[in-house]
Amino acid sequence: MTSAGMQPTALNRTTHPTVAIIGATGAVGQEFLRVLDQRHFPLGGLKLLASARSAGKTVEFQGKSIVIDELTEQSFEGIDIALFSAGGSISKKYAQAAIDAGAVVVDNSSGFRMTDGVPLVVPEVNPEAITTANIGLGQGQRPGIIANPNCSTIIMLLAVTPIHRAVGVKRVVVSTYQAASGAGAAAMAELEQQTREVLEGKEPTCTIFPQQYAFNLFSHNSPMKPNGYNEEELKMVHETHKIWSQAGDKKTAITATCVRVPIMRAHAESINLTLDKPMTEVDARKLLAEAPGVSLIDDRENNRFPTPLDASHADDVFVGRIRHDLSQPEGMGLDLFVCGDQVRKGAALNAVQIAELLLA
Ligand SMILES: NC(=O)c1ccc[n+]([C@@H]2O[C@H](COP(=O)([O-])OP(=O)(O)OC[C@H]3O[C@@H](n4cnc5c(N)ncnc54)[C@H](OP(=O)(O)O)[C@@H]3O)[C@@H](O)[C@H]2O)c1
């Protein structure tokens, strides 16, 4: 029921929605299952979808075996929320079928992130972007999609948005150290296999990445653009502008360098900020200690700062190395080092938090 002056509940037809996971066998799909279980998401039903390769396989969930079905356009009957994590081309091909069947699509791929009218949401940053109007649940409205931002963008924004809201961030220079899991289950298997092969003195097998990954690092594997940036770097720039602009901010200057490192899980980011108004490192530490979704590991005495292992399987993004940037006037620049589990907060958890907002 909608009372005057209140935003109507997005999914007012049920408090226990039936959820479909598209890409249920993948790195993100498997994390969806853990997050839904751990957060006691009020499931009315659960449907698991993947390619024909996985059809008929079973997955254990809350003590039951669930059979994986092949994704088709007919897969969405009775689905209230469709959590897509099977790549952009699959989202583009099947999202409309899900919407036509009455579902709200929460999409992990880059398929619709920059589409006008599709909210791009980090629940701790811009939950207000989700309204029934802009996800198109009103009469005759489309498209019914909410996009999950790129994982590196989510991790950065958890740490930087509180500072931006407090004093304004004029410029961001970010360098990433990205884990294998960001490229999916097959990339994780490749890193494991190559590590074993190299230790055994064998030639490493390169299937997912064109060059040796174990005991190496390289520029992010996303397509390179004519301007010398790769797609991952440009996602961090454009998605941040979209997310912050939804809250009425001006455009911050952002440049990114994204690198794949031989870490199994959780991305790290070195972030340099130029501020509009001064903020001391003491105030920044205090602000981030209270920020939602953020935990501090910032122990200079013991040289103990966030690591990908701290962040692995954790909900929060970990922040440390909070310090005044010596190259800028006192209080006008900050450096941070951030680690976050990109399969979890960078994908599955963020999408489930969006689904929870739909029920709120
Ligand atoms: N990994 C991350 O950290 C991360 C973070 C943010 C966003 N994302 C995005 O999430 C999506 C999934 O990533 P991932 O890392 O989970 O990849 P992944 O481990 O490679 O899993 C891909 C999933 O998609 C399914 N799939 C592939 N082709 C299909 C088809 N034709 N029909 C139906 N299902 C199909 C696969 O099913 P089969 O097993 O049957 O092949 C599998 O379940 C991508 O869009 C990615 O960009 C990933």
Side-chain angles (χ1 to χ4, degrees), residues 22-29 49-55 57 68 70-71 84-88 90-91 94 107-110 113 148-151 180-186 235 267 342-344 346-348:
I22 298 91
T25 51
V28 176
L49 299 162
S51 77
R53 294 178 289 275
S54 306
K57 288 184 188 163
I68 295 175
E70 181 184 352
L71 173 66
F84 274 76
S85 64
I90 301 293
S91 295
Y94 292 98
D107 185 26
N108 258 299
S109 81
S110 56
R113 286 181 193 147
N148 219 48
N150 165 270
C151 48
S181 49
K235 283 175 188 173
H267 291 349
Q342 90 298 333
V343 190
R344 197 168 173 92

mmCIF file of all heavy atoms in Angstrom, residues 22-29 49-55 57 68 70-71 84-88 90-91 94 107-110 113 148-151 180-186 235 267 342-344 346-348, ligand 1:
data_model
loop_
_atom_site.group_PDB
_atom_site.id
_atom_site.type_symbol
_atom_site.label_atom_id
_atom_site.label_comp_id
_atom_site.label_asym_id
_atom_site.label_seq_id
_atom_site.Cartn_x
_atom_site.Cartn_y
_atom_site.Cartn_z
ATOM 1 N N ILE A 22 21.154 -15.610 -13.156
ATOM 2 C CA ILE A 22 21.562 -15.947 -14.525
ATOM 3 C C ILE A 22 23.092 -15.927 -14.539
ATOM 4 O O ILE A 22 23.709 -14.875 -14.344
ATOM 5 C CB ILE A 22 20.973 -14.924 -15.535
ATOM 6 C CG1 ILE A 22 19.444 -14.976 -15.480
ATOM 7 C CG2 ILE A 22 21.453 -15.220 -16.955
ATOM 8 C CD1 ILE A 22 18.791 -14.053 -14.520
ATOM 9 N N GLY A 23 23.692 -17.109 -14.750
ATOM 10 C CA GLY A 23 25.147 -17.246 -14.609
ATOM 11 C C GLY A 23 25.466 -17.879 -13.270
ATOM 12 O O GLY A 23 26.482 -17.564 -12.638
ATOM 13 N N ALA A 24 24.587 -18.788 -12.833
ATOM 14 C CA ALA A 24 24.658 -19.333 -11.470
ATOM 15 C C ALA A 24 25.902 -20.172 -11.220
ATOM 16 O O ALA A 24 26.294 -20.368 -10.070
ATOM 17 C CB ALA A 24 23.409 -20.173 -11.189
ATOM 18 N N THR A 25 26.545 -20.674 -12.272
ATOM 19 C CA THR A 25 27.741 -21.508 -12.086
ATOM 20 C C THR A 25 29.032 -20.682 -12.050
ATOM 21 O O THR A 25 30.097 -21.222 -11.794
ATOM 22 C CB THR A 25 27.873 -22.513 -13.251
ATOM 23 O OG1 THR A 25 27.774 -21.773 -14.471
ATOM 24 C CG2 THR A 25 26.796 -23.574 -13.205
ATOM 25 N N GLY A 26 28.945 -19.390 -12.302
ATOM 26 C CA GLY A 26 30.137 -18.542 -12.420
ATOM 27 C C GLY A 26 30.639 -18.061 -11.069
ATOM 28 O O GLY A 26 30.045 -18.348 -10.019
ATOM 29 N N ALA A 27 31.752 -17.309 -11.102
ATOM 30 C CA ALA A 27 32.346 -16.793 -9.863
ATOM 31 C C ALA A 27 31.336 -15.909 -9.124
ATOM 32 O O ALA A 27 31.143 -16.032 -7.915
ATOM 33 C CB ALA A 27 33.610 -16.000 -10.200
ATOM 34 N N VAL A 28 30.663 -15.017 -9.853
ATOM 35 C CA VAL A 28 29.681 -14.126 -9.217
ATOM 36 C C VAL A 28 28.418 -14.909 -8.845
ATOM 37 O O VAL A 28 27.857 -14.728 -7.760
ATOM 38 C CB VAL A 28 29.338 -12.935 -10.147
ATOM 39 C CG1 VAL A 28 28.245 -12.058 -9.533
ATOM 40 C CG2 VAL A 28 30.582 -12.105 -10.420
ATOM 41 N N GLY A 29 27.977 -15.788 -9.742
ATOM 42 C CA GLY A 29 26.765 -16.582 -9.477
ATOM 43 C C GLY A 29 26.887 -17.384 -8.193
ATOM 44 O O GLY A 29 25.959 -17.423 -7.374
ATOM 45 N N LEU A 49 20.061 -20.423 -13.438
ATOM 46 C CA LEU A 49 20.169 -20.512 -14.896
ATOM 47 C C LEU A 49 21.623 -20.349 -15.322
ATOM 48 O O LEU A 49 22.365 -19.560 -14.732
ATOM 49 C CB LEU A 49 19.316 -19.409 -15.542
ATOM 50 C CG LEU A 49 17.823 -19.469 -15.224
ATOM 51 C CD1 LEU A 49 17.141 -18.132 -15.530
ATOM 52 C CD2 LEU A 49 17.148 -20.589 -16.019
ATOM 53 N N ALA A 50 21.986 -21.107 -16.344
ATOM 54 C CA ALA A 50 23.328 -20.978 -16.931
ATOM 55 C C ALA A 50 23.233 -21.451 -18.378
ATOM 56 O O ALA A 50 22.126 -21.535 -18.941
ATOM 57 C CB ALA A 50 24.348 -21.764 -16.118
ATOM 58 N N SER A 51 24.376 -21.753 -18.977
ATOM 59 C CA SER A 51 24.347 -22.166 -20.386
ATOM 60 C C SER A 51 23.925 -23.634 -20.496
ATOM 61 O O SER A 51 23.841 -24.349 -19.480
ATOM 62 C CB SER A 51 25.738 -21.991 -20.996
ATOM 63 O OG SER A 51 26.566 -23.041 -20.574
ATOM 64 N N ALA A 52 23.759 -24.075 -21.734
ATOM 65 C CA ALA A 52 23.392 -25.487 -21.980
ATOM 66 C C ALA A 52 24.432 -26.432 -21.397
ATOM 67 O O ALA A 52 24.119 -27.549 -20.989
ATOM 68 C CB ALA A 52 23.249 -25.708 -23.482
ATOM 69 N N ARG A 53 25.714 -25.950 -21.293
ATOM 70 C CA ARG A 53 26.793 -26.784 -20.746
ATOM 71 C C ARG A 53 26.495 -27.217 -19.316
ATOM 72 O O ARG A 53 26.883 -28.293 -18.880
ATOM 73 C CB ARG A 53 28.125 -26.001 -20.739
ATOM 74 C CG ARG A 53 28.672 -25.648 -22.085
ATOM 75 C CD ARG A 53 29.974 -24.832 -21.926
ATOM 76 N NE ARG A 53 29.759 -23.475 -21.416
ATOM 77 C CZ ARG A 53 29.441 -22.431 -22.181
ATOM 78 N NH1 ARG A 53 29.306 -22.572 -23.471
ATOM 79 N NH2 ARG A 53 29.253 -21.234 -21.644
ATOM 80 N N SER A 54 25.797 -26.365 -18.579
ATOM 81 C CA SER A 54 25.565 -26.638 -17.148
ATOM 82 C C SER A 54 24.182 -27.194 -16.869
ATOM 83 O O SER A 54 23.902 -27.597 -15.724
ATOM 84 C CB SER A 54 25.730 -25.339 -16.347
ATOM 85 O OG SER A 54 26.963 -24.765 -16.605
ATOM 86 N N ALA A 55 23.317 -27.186 -17.862
ATOM 87 C CA ALA A 55 21.932 -27.626 -17.625
ATOM 88 C C ALA A 55 21.914 -29.047 -17.066
ATOM 89 O O ALA A 55 22.617 -29.931 -17.567
ATOM 90 C CB ALA A 55 21.140 -27.558 -18.929
ATOM 91 N N LYS A 57 23.031 -29.939 -14.112
ATOM 92 C CA LYS A 57 23.924 -30.049 -12.939
ATOM 93 C C LYS A 57 23.154 -29.550 -11.705
ATOM 94 O O LYS A 57 22.194 -28.780 -11.836
ATOM 95 C CB LYS A 57 25.168 -29.157 -13.113
ATOM 96 C CG LYS A 57 26.151 -29.687 -14.138
ATOM 97 C CD LYS A 57 27.390 -28.811 -14.165
ATOM 98 C CE LYS A 57 28.304 -29.178 -15.306
ATOM 99 N NZ LYS A 57 29.292 -28.144 -15.610
ATOM 100 N N ILE A 68 20.225 -26.837 -12.215
ATOM 101 C CA ILE A 68 20.463 -25.671 -13.073
ATOM 102 C C ILE A 68 19.738 -25.875 -14.403
ATOM 103 O O ILE A 68 19.842 -26.933 -15.023
ATOM 104 C CB ILE A 68 21.967 -25.475 -13.300
ATOM 105 C CG1 ILE A 68 22.600 -25.129 -11.951
ATOM 106 C CG2 ILE A 68 22.241 -24.394 -14.343
ATOM 107 C CD1 ILE A 68 24.076 -25.011 -11.980
ATOM 108 N N GLU A 70 18.859 -24.469 -18.378
ATOM 109 C CA GLU A 70 19.443 -23.683 -19.472
ATOM 110 C C GLU A 70 18.669 -22.375 -19.620
ATOM 111 O O GLU A 70 17.422 -22.375 -19.596
ATOM 112 C CB GLU A 70 19.359 -24.475 -20.787
ATOM 113 C CG GLU A 70 19.978 -23.700 -21.938
ATOM 114 C CD GLU A 70 19.839 -24.404 -23.285
ATOM 115 O OE1 GLU A 70 19.387 -25.567 -23.312
ATOM 116 O OE2 GLU A 70 20.193 -23.765 -24.290
ATOM 117 N N LEU A 71 19.397 -21.277 -19.762
ATOM 118 C CA LEU A 71 18.762 -19.971 -19.966
ATOM 119 C C LEU A 71 18.099 -19.904 -21.340
ATOM 120 O O LEU A 71 18.741 -20.180 -22.358
ATOM 121 C CB LEU A 71 19.824 -18.873 -19.867
ATOM 122 C CG LEU A 71 19.390 -17.457 -20.213
ATOM 123 C CD1 LEU A 71 18.370 -16.933 -19.205
ATOM 124 C CD2 LEU A 71 20.603 -16.528 -20.272
ATOM 125 N N PHE A 84 21.393 -10.858 -13.045
ATOM 126 C CA PHE A 84 22.167 -11.270 -14.223
ATOM 127 C C PHE A 84 23.664 -11.186 -13.930
ATOM 128 O O PHE A 84 24.164 -10.131 -13.531
ATOM 129 C CB PHE A 84 21.856 -10.360 -15.416
ATOM 130 C CG PHE A 84 20.662 -10.780 -16.230
ATOM 131 C CD1 PHE A 84 19.365 -10.556 -15.773
ATOM 132 C CD2 PHE A 84 20.823 -11.409 -17.466
ATOM 133 C CE1 PHE A 84 18.260 -10.952 -16.528
ATOM 134 C CE2 PHE A 84 19.732 -11.805 -18.229
ATOM 135 C CZ PHE A 84 18.443 -11.581 -17.758
ATOM 136 N N SER A 85 24.392 -12.286 -14.163
ATOM 137 C CA SER A 85 25.864 -12.250 -14.070
ATOM 138 C C SER A 85 26.431 -13.279 -15.043
ATOM 139 O O SER A 85 27.100 -14.229 -14.649
ATOM 140 C CB SER A 85 26.342 -12.528 -12.646
ATOM 141 O OG SER A 85 25.993 -13.821 -12.237
ATOM 142 N N ALA A 86 26.137 -13.068 -16.320
ATOM 143 C CA ALA A 86 26.631 -14.001 -17.351
ATOM 144 C C ALA A 86 27.277 -13.243 -18.507
ATOM 145 O O ALA A 86 27.415 -13.788 -19.599
ATOM 146 C CB ALA A 86 25.490 -14.879 -17.846
ATOM 147 N N GLY A 87 27.656 -11.979 -18.264
ATOM 148 C CA GLY A 87 28.304 -11.190 -19.314
ATOM 149 C C GLY A 87 27.322 -10.262 -20.019
ATOM 150 O O GLY A 87 26.104 -10.494 -20.035
ATOM 151 N N GLY A 88 27.890 -9.202 -20.607
ATOM 152 C CA GLY A 88 27.071 -8.151 -21.223
ATOM 153 C C GLY A 88 26.199 -8.641 -22.360
ATOM 154 O O GLY A 88 25.042 -8.208 -22.501
ATOM 155 N N ILE A 90 24.866 -11.561 -22.856
ATOM 156 C CA ILE A 90 23.716 -12.339 -22.349
ATOM 157 C C ILE A 90 22.677 -11.386 -21.736
ATOM 158 O O ILE A 90 21.467 -11.526 -21.962
ATOM 159 C CB ILE A 90 24.176 -13.370 -21.291
ATOM 160 C CG1 ILE A 90 25.191 -14.330 -21.896
ATOM 161 C CG2 ILE A 90 22.991 -14.124 -20.700
ATOM 162 C CD1 ILE A 90 24.669 -15.254 -22.954
ATOM 163 N N SER A 91 23.142 -10.398 -20.994
ATOM 164 C CA SER A 91 22.201 -9.422 -20.420
ATOM 165 C C SER A 91 21.435 -8.715 -21.526
ATOM 166 O O SER A 91 20.219 -8.550 -21.454
ATOM 167 C CB SER A 91 22.950 -8.384 -19.574
ATOM 168 O OG SER A 91 23.544 -9.007 -18.469
ATOM 169 N N TYR A 94 18.834 -11.161 -23.068
ATOM 170 C CA TYR A 94 17.731 -11.753 -22.295
ATOM 171 C C TYR A 94 17.052 -10.789 -21.310
ATOM 172 O O TYR A 94 16.014 -11.143 -20.745
ATOM 173 C CB TYR A 94 18.223 -12.985 -21.535
ATOM 174 C CG TYR A 94 18.577 -14.136 -22.450
ATOM 175 C CD1 TYR A 94 19.897 -14.380 -22.820
ATOM 176 C CD2 TYR A 94 17.589 -14.977 -22.963
ATOM 177 C CE1 TYR A 94 20.233 -15.428 -23.668
ATOM 178 C CE2 TYR A 94 17.912 -16.029 -23.814
ATOM 179 C CZ TYR A 94 19.233 -16.249 -24.160
ATOM 180 O OH TYR A 94 19.546 -17.286 -24.998
ATOM 181 N N ASP A 107 21.554 -5.996 -12.971
ATOM 182 C CA ASP A 107 22.536 -6.494 -13.945
ATOM 183 C C ASP A 107 23.970 -6.205 -13.507
ATOM 184 O O ASP A 107 24.341 -5.053 -13.297
ATOM 185 C CB ASP A 107 22.265 -5.837 -15.308
ATOM 186 C CG ASP A 107 23.176 -6.399 -16.383
ATOM 187 O OD1 ASP A 107 23.623 -7.559 -16.236
ATOM 188 O OD2 ASP A 107 23.443 -5.688 -17.366
ATOM 189 N N ASN A 108 24.754 -7.278 -13.409
ATOM 190 C CA ASN A 108 26.156 -7.153 -13.039
ATOM 191 C C ASN A 108 27.075 -6.838 -14.199
ATOM 192 O O ASN A 108 28.245 -6.529 -13.993
ATOM 193 C CB ASN A 108 26.625 -8.482 -12.431
ATOM 194 C CG ASN A 108 26.682 -8.398 -10.936
ATOM 195 O OD1 ASN A 108 27.416 -7.594 -10.387
ATOM 196 N ND2 ASN A 108 25.880 -9.205 -10.274
ATOM 197 N N SER A 109 26.597 -6.974 -15.400
ATOM 198 C CA SER A 109 27.469 -6.765 -16.555
ATOM 199 C C SER A 109 27.551 -5.273 -16.886
ATOM 200 O O SER A 109 26.869 -4.441 -16.294
ATOM 201 C CB SER A 109 26.912 -7.521 -17.766
ATOM 202 O OG SER A 109 25.874 -6.765 -18.366
ATOM 203 N N SER A 110 28.380 -4.977 -17.888
ATOM 204 C CA SER A 110 28.487 -3.569 -18.305
ATOM 205 C C SER A 110 27.429 -3.221 -19.350
ATOM 206 O O SER A 110 27.402 -2.098 -19.859
ATOM 207 C CB SER A 110 29.885 -3.321 -18.874
ATOM 208 O OG SER A 110 30.133 -4.236 -19.933
ATOM 209 N N ARG A 113 25.059 -0.204 -18.057
ATOM 210 C CA ARG A 113 25.488 0.744 -17.012
ATOM 211 C C ARG A 113 25.392 2.202 -17.434
ATOM 212 O O ARG A 113 25.005 3.066 -16.649
ATOM 213 C CB ARG A 113 26.934 0.444 -16.601
ATOM 214 C CG ARG A 113 27.068 -0.791 -15.746
ATOM 215 C CD ARG A 113 28.515 -0.990 -15.358
ATOM 216 N NE ARG A 113 28.707 -2.317 -14.798
ATOM 217 C CZ ARG A 113 29.829 -3.021 -14.934
ATOM 218 N NH1 ARG A 113 30.851 -2.512 -15.593
ATOM 219 N NH2 ARG A 113 29.912 -4.213 -14.401
ATOM 220 N N ASN A 148 24.542 -2.695 -11.756
ATOM 221 C CA ASN A 148 25.585 -2.769 -10.745
ATOM 222 C C ASN A 148 26.849 -2.186 -11.380
ATOM 223 O O ASN A 148 27.232 -2.632 -12.462
ATOM 224 C CB ASN A 148 25.822 -4.262 -10.470
ATOM 225 C CG ASN A 148 26.071 -4.563 -9.034
ATOM 226 O OD1 ASN A 148 25.345 -4.117 -8.175
ATOM 227 N ND2 ASN A 148 27.115 -5.332 -8.791
ATOM 228 N N PRO A 149 27.517 -1.248 -10.733
ATOM 229 C CA PRO A 149 28.715 -0.683 -11.359
ATOM 230 C C PRO A 149 29.857 -1.697 -11.454
ATOM 231 O O PRO A 149 29.813 -2.759 -10.841
ATOM 232 C CB PRO A 149 29.098 0.462 -10.415
ATOM 233 C CG PRO A 149 27.867 0.752 -9.635
ATOM 234 C CD PRO A 149 27.138 -0.550 -9.507
ATOM 235 N N ASN A 150 30.870 -1.323 -12.207
ATOM 236 C CA ASN A 150 32.115 -2.097 -12.306
ATOM 237 C C ASN A 150 32.718 -2.271 -10.901
ATOM 238 O O ASN A 150 32.636 -1.374 -10.058
ATOM 239 C CB ASN A 150 33.058 -1.302 -13.215
ATOM 240 C CG ASN A 150 34.472 -1.781 -13.134
ATOM 241 O OD1 ASN A 150 35.253 -1.310 -12.307
ATOM 242 N ND2 ASN A 150 34.813 -2.716 -13.975
ATOM 243 N N CYS A 151 33.332 -3.427 -10.679
ATOM 244 C CA CYS A 151 33.822 -3.754 -9.333
ATOM 245 C C CYS A 151 34.872 -2.748 -8.829
ATOM 246 O O CYS A 151 34.832 -2.345 -7.662
ATOM 247 C CB CYS A 151 34.377 -5.174 -9.312
ATOM 248 S SG CYS A 151 35.497 -5.535 -10.671
ATOM 249 N N ALA A 180 42.597 -12.274 -10.021
ATOM 250 C CA ALA A 180 42.148 -13.201 -11.065
ATOM 251 C C ALA A 180 40.635 -13.370 -11.072
ATOM 252 O O ALA A 180 40.004 -13.455 -12.130
ATOM 253 C CB ALA A 180 42.801 -14.561 -10.842
ATOM 254 N N SER A 181 40.035 -13.392 -9.889
ATOM 255 C CA SER A 181 38.592 -13.656 -9.788
ATOM 256 C C SER A 181 37.767 -12.602 -10.522
ATOM 257 O O SER A 181 36.638 -12.871 -10.910
ATOM 258 C CB SER A 181 38.176 -13.749 -8.328
ATOM 259 O OG SER A 181 38.690 -12.656 -7.617
ATOM 260 N N GLY A 182 38.341 -11.427 -10.718
ATOM 261 C CA GLY A 182 37.636 -10.392 -11.478
ATOM 262 C C GLY A 182 37.398 -10.805 -12.915
ATOM 263 O O GLY A 182 36.516 -10.268 -13.585
ATOM 264 N N ALA A 183 38.176 -11.772 -13.392
ATOM 265 C CA ALA A 183 38.001 -12.232 -14.770
ATOM 266 C C ALA A 183 37.244 -13.561 -14.825
ATOM 267 O O ALA A 183 37.206 -14.201 -15.875
ATOM 268 C CB ALA A 183 39.363 -12.364 -15.441
ATOM 269 N N GLY A 184 36.668 -13.971 -13.696
ATOM 270 C CA GLY A 184 35.813 -15.154 -13.704
ATOM 271 C C GLY A 184 36.494 -16.427 -13.231
ATOM 272 O O GLY A 184 37.707 -16.464 -12.989
ATOM 273 N N ALA A 185 35.667 -17.479 -13.138
ATOM 274 C CA ALA A 185 36.119 -18.747 -12.565
ATOM 275 C C ALA A 185 37.267 -19.363 -13.375
ATOM 276 O O ALA A 185 38.222 -19.917 -12.806
ATOM 277 C CB ALA A 185 34.936 -19.709 -12.490
ATOM 278 N N ALA A 186 37.217 -19.234 -14.694
ATOM 279 C CA ALA A 186 38.247 -19.852 -15.531
ATOM 280 C C ALA A 186 39.608 -19.173 -15.331
ATOM 281 O O ALA A 186 40.655 -19.834 -15.385
ATOM 282 C CB ALA A 186 37.833 -19.792 -16.997
ATOM 283 N N LYS A 235 35.817 2.736 -17.568
ATOM 284 C CA LYS A 235 34.631 2.458 -16.748
ATOM 285 C C LYS A 235 34.735 3.190 -15.414
ATOM 286 O O LYS A 235 33.764 3.767 -14.923
ATOM 287 C CB LYS A 235 34.511 0.948 -16.488
ATOM 288 C CG LYS A 235 33.982 0.152 -17.671
ATOM 289 C CD LYS A 235 34.011 -1.337 -17.352
ATOM 290 C CE LYS A 235 33.666 -2.163 -18.585
ATOM 291 N NZ LYS A 235 33.848 -3.602 -18.351
ATOM 292 N N HIS A 267 40.487 -7.022 -5.042
ATOM 293 C CA HIS A 267 41.271 -5.993 -5.727
ATOM 294 C C HIS A 267 41.866 -5.025 -4.706
ATOM 295 O O HIS A 267 41.285 -4.780 -3.646
ATOM 296 C CB HIS A 267 40.375 -5.154 -6.658
ATOM 297 C CG HIS A 267 39.844 -5.882 -7.855
ATOM 298 N ND1 HIS A 267 40.276 -7.120 -8.257
ATOM 299 C CD2 HIS A 267 38.904 -5.498 -8.768
ATOM 300 C CE1 HIS A 267 39.625 -7.486 -9.351
ATOM 301 N NE2 HIS A 267 38.783 -6.522 -9.683
ATOM 302 N N GLN A 342 36.080 -8.014 -4.853
ATOM 303 C CA GLN A 342 35.285 -7.550 -5.997
ATOM 304 C C GLN A 342 34.230 -8.558 -6.432
ATOM 305 O O GLN A 342 33.270 -8.179 -7.099
ATOM 306 C CB GLN A 342 36.198 -7.125 -7.148
ATOM 307 C CG GLN A 342 36.572 -8.195 -8.126
ATOM 308 C CD GLN A 342 37.350 -9.339 -7.515
ATOM 309 O OE1 GLN A 342 38.047 -9.171 -6.522
ATOM 310 N NE2 GLN A 342 37.219 -10.507 -8.093
ATOM 311 N N VAL A 343 34.375 -9.822 -6.056
ATOM 312 C CA VAL A 343 33.305 -10.777 -6.385
ATOM 313 C C VAL A 343 32.126 -10.539 -5.437
ATOM 314 O O VAL A 343 30.973 -10.731 -5.794
ATOM 315 C CB VAL A 343 33.763 -12.240 -6.216
ATOM 316 C CG1 VAL A 343 32.730 -13.191 -6.793
ATOM 317 C CG2 VAL A 343 35.080 -12.478 -6.892
ATOM 318 N N ARG A 344 32.479 -10.088 -4.219
ATOM 319 C CA ARG A 344 31.434 -9.919 -3.208
ATOM 320 C C ARG A 344 30.894 -8.471 -3.252
ATOM 321 O O ARG A 344 29.904 -8.219 -3.904
ATOM 322 C CB ARG A 344 32.020 -10.277 -1.827
ATOM 323 C CG ARG A 344 30.953 -10.520 -0.796
ATOM 324 C CD ARG A 344 31.527 -11.139 0.451
ATOM 325 N NE ARG A 344 30.525 -11.213 1.497
ATOM 326 C CZ ARG A 344 29.733 -12.275 1.692
ATOM 327 N NH1 ARG A 344 29.831 -13.328 0.931
ATOM 328 N NH2 ARG A 344 28.828 -12.254 2.654
ATOM 329 N N GLY A 346 32.052 -6.008 -4.894
ATOM 330 C CA GLY A 346 32.118 -5.484 -6.260
ATOM 331 C C GLY A 346 31.090 -6.083 -7.200
ATOM 332 O O GLY A 346 30.970 -5.653 -8.346
ATOM 333 N N ALA A 347 30.337 -7.086 -6.749
ATOM 334 C CA ALA A 347 29.359 -7.724 -7.645
ATOM 335 C C ALA A 347 28.165 -8.266 -6.855
ATOM 336 O O ALA A 347 27.141 -7.593 -6.721
ATOM 337 C CB ALA A 347 30.037 -8.837 -8.449
ATOM 338 N N ALA A 348 28.300 -9.482 -6.281
ATOM 339 C CA ALA A 348 27.127 -10.169 -5.723
ATOM 340 C C ALA A 348 26.490 -9.416 -4.550
ATOM 341 O O ALA A 348 25.266 -9.228 -4.514
ATOM 342 C CB ALA A 348 27.522 -11.575 -5.287
HETATM 343 N N1 LIG B 1 34.111 -11.736 -11.318
HETATM 344 C C1 LIG B 1 33.927 -10.527 -10.823
HETATM 345 O O1 LIG B 1 34.575 -10.121 -9.861
HETATM 346 C C2 LIG B 1 32.904 -9.604 -11.403
HETATM 347 C C3 LIG B 1 32.711 -8.378 -10.762
HETATM 348 C C4 LIG B 1 31.744 -7.522 -11.278
HETATM 349 C C5 LIG B 1 31.021 -7.885 -12.373
HETATM 350 N N2 LIG B 1 31.249 -9.077 -12.985
HETATM 351 C C6 LIG B 1 30.443 -9.418 -14.153
HETATM 352 O O2 LIG B 1 29.605 -10.514 -13.832
HETATM 353 C C7 LIG B 1 29.443 -11.325 -14.991
HETATM 354 C C8 LIG B 1 29.863 -12.755 -14.680
HETATM 355 O O3 LIG B 1 31.209 -12.767 -14.266
HETATM 356 P P1 LIG B 1 31.900 -14.042 -13.619
HETATM 357 O O4 LIG B 1 33.204 -13.567 -13.136
HETATM 358 O O5 LIG B 1 30.983 -14.714 -12.663
HETATM 359 O O6 LIG B 1 32.125 -14.973 -14.922
HETATM 360 P P2 LIG B 1 32.316 -16.553 -14.993
HETATM 361 O O7 LIG B 1 32.884 -17.103 -13.752
HETATM 362 O O8 LIG B 1 33.043 -16.781 -16.262
HETATM 363 O O9 LIG B 1 30.812 -17.101 -15.147
HETATM 364 C C9 LIG B 1 30.042 -16.866 -16.305
HETATM 365 C C10 LIG B 1 28.651 -17.396 -16.085
HETATM 366 O O10 LIG B 1 27.866 -17.059 -17.232
HETATM 367 C C11 LIG B 1 27.240 -18.253 -17.734
HETATM 368 N N3 LIG B 1 27.069 -18.214 -19.174
HETATM 369 C C12 LIG B 1 28.009 -18.086 -20.137
HETATM 370 N N4 LIG B 1 27.442 -18.152 -21.357
HETATM 371 C C13 LIG B 1 26.123 -18.338 -21.162
HETATM 372 C C14 LIG B 1 25.012 -18.489 -22.026
HETATM 373 N N5 LIG B 1 25.141 -18.469 -23.369
HETATM 374 N N6 LIG B 1 23.780 -18.659 -21.473
HETATM 375 C C15 LIG B 1 23.628 -18.694 -20.147
HETATM 376 N N7 LIG B 1 24.647 -18.546 -19.261
HETATM 377 C C16 LIG B 1 25.883 -18.365 -19.765
HETATM 378 C C17 LIG B 1 28.208 -19.359 -17.347
HETATM 379 O O11 LIG B 1 27.516 -20.579 -17.384
HETATM 380 P P3 LIG B 1 28.284 -21.944 -17.757
HETATM 381 O O12 LIG B 1 29.011 -22.372 -16.538
HETATM 382 O O13 LIG B 1 27.149 -22.865 -18.107
HETATM 383 O O14 LIG B 1 29.193 -21.641 -18.904
HETATM 384 C C18 LIG B 1 28.591 -18.906 -15.937
HETATM 385 O O15 LIG B 1 27.581 -19.248 -15.026
HETATM 386 C C19 LIG B 1 30.244 -10.657 -16.108
HETATM 387 O O16 LIG B 1 29.388 -9.784 -16.808
HETATM 388 C C20 LIG B 1 31.267 -9.859 -15.348
HETATM 389 O O17 LIG B 1 31.735 -8.756 -16.081
HETATM 390 C C21 LIG B 1 32.177 -9.958 -12.523
#
